[in-house]
Amino acid sequence: MVDKNKDLIDQTLQDLNNDGVDRRGFLKCMAWAGTGLVWTLSGGIPTSRAFAKTAHRSGGNGGDFTFVQISDSHIGFNKPANPDVTATLQTAINKINGMPHKPDFIIHTGDLSQLSKPSEFDTLDQVLKGASAKQIYFVPGEHDMLTDNGEQYLQRYGKGTKGSGWFSFDQKGVHFVGLVNVANLKAGGMGSLGHEQLEWLEDDLKGRSASTPIVLFAHIPLWTIYPDWGWGTDDSEQALSYVKRFGSVTVLNGHIHQIMQKVEGKVSFHTAMSTAFPQPAPGTAPSAGPMKVPSDQLQRVLGITDVNYLVSGRSLAVVDSPLADSASSASGSGSGPGSR
């Protein structure tokens, strides 16, 4: 198992180092054809190297905007896989702040804390106060609902949301929907949206033009990656049926602490790296959980995700950036529930 994990880490590092992205020019654009996102595929899987090989973007042009996804901070975790998760979150924020163009907002896709303790949320808030993007949207992870069914999370980050924390907002022609799939976990830890939220989602999307780009974000993936580890959402098929008529749908998730991507029709799925610790690839370990890597390699398997929307080209470009890299760029501004 150790050899298998080592091979996995080596392959992950190789993929991140050879993704074709010039970090000095960092954000790249991807092409748009008709009403669908065009990804360059490697073995049938869309990767960030596609963005490095398409048209360049200078940032800050009229109508364009950029946001950053961070995920799985796990503030309070202090095991060997990463004894200082606050420091690596701070590194992520420093990386965001170092972008030549300030992103419009940040999306945090859950597991803000390790044990949903007030002190953990306090520490998270303190670090996020230093982010250049002051607008931050949150959805909870299961670790944020451990002790009080998410009451403290909702008090801090759920103002103006519905139910257990779901909400939507619009940004320059793009409709964003934050979903909660950790409030009622199913057998094996599978995520669940539930009837009330699904009804709300259907109603939220009604009346919107099919040409409206849609971004869904939730903690647990909205596609089934590995059910034995609970890496999926049991009623996601119904949720995704509501977005089939839209020409561009991007789904952003966390939870699995590694990059996985796929495209189904006009829906592009993308899971993000954690800022805390990596997890093994599906089926390569007895169970999911923190995976220790050599300390000098840790920041190369943690990271952030930048998403760039071009109104003129009607495209969403998703680029992952390991914390170990020294430069990145983005541009943008935003507002809505969950802001800090």
Side-chain angles (χ1 to χ4, degrees), residues 139-161:
V139 289
E142 73 278 9
H143 282 261
D144 303 317
M145 308 184 90
L146 288 179
T147 60
D148 59 1
N149 293 318
E151 286 302 317
Q152 185 178 189
Y153 167 86
L154 286 173
Q155 289 173 10
R156 288 179 180 248
Y157 311 106
K159 292 180 175 63
T161 64

Side-chain angles (χ1 to χ4, degrees), residues 16 18 20 31 85 88 99-100 102 119 143 197 203 217-218 240 299:
L16 291 173
N18 297 322
V85 294
T88 49
M99 293 176 175
K102 185 175 75 173
S119 60
H143 282 261
Q197 185 173 193
D203 185 65
F217 58 101
L240 294 171
Q299 290 196 10

Side-chain angles (χ1 to χ4, degrees), residues 38 75 81 107 162 194-195 208 220 226 240 254 260 275 284 300 303 307:
V38 178
I75 297 299
I107 285 175
K162 308 290 186 182
H195 179 70
R208 298 187 184 277
I220 297 176
Y226 198 66
L240 294 171
M260 286 197 177
T275 66
T284 62
R300 298 169 68 191
V307 183

Side-chain angles (χ1 to χ4, degrees), residues 234-256:
D234 73 336
D235 50 4
S236 61
E237 186 174 345
Q238 184 174 348
L240 294 171
S241 73
Y242 301 147
V243 298
K244 285 183 178 178
R245 68 183 180 88
F246 293 95
S248 166
V249 181
T250 303
V251 181
L252 302 176
N253 302 117
H255 188 58
I256 70 171

Side-chain angles (χ1 to χ4, degrees), residues 104-123:
D104 284 62
F105 54 88
I106 295 170
I107 285 175
H108 195 305
T109 47
D111 280 353
L112 290 65
S113 65
Q114 177 66 10
L115 298 172
S116 58
K117 293 180 177 178
S119 60
E120 295 171 349
F121 290 127
D122 288 344
T123 298

Side-chain angles (χ1 to χ4, degrees), residues 156-172:
R156 288 179 180 248
Y157 311 106
K159 292 180 175 63
T161 64
K162 308 290 186 182
S164 54
W166 57 81
F167 63 98
S168 65
F169 66 96
D170 294 286
Q171 176 77 9
K172 296 184 179 179

Side-chain angles (χ1 to χ4, degrees), residues 67 69 107 109 139 167-168 174-179 193 200-201 204-205 213-220 222 236 238-244 246 248-254 267-270 316:
F67 66 93
Q69 178 193 7
I107 285 175
T109 47
V139 289
F167 63 98
S168 65
V174 180
H175 187 62
F176 290 80
V177 184
L179 298 172
L193 295 164
W200 171 85
L201 176 62
D204 179 74
L205 296 173
I214 304 294
V215 177
L216 305 179
F217 58 101
H219 180 61
I220 297 176
L222 291 177
S236 61
Q238 184 174 348
L240 294 171
S241 73
Y242 301 147
V243 298
K244 285 183 178 178
F246 293 95
S248 166
V249 181
T250 303
V251 181
L252 302 176
N253 302 117
V267 182
S268 303
F269 299 85
H270 189 102
L316 283 167

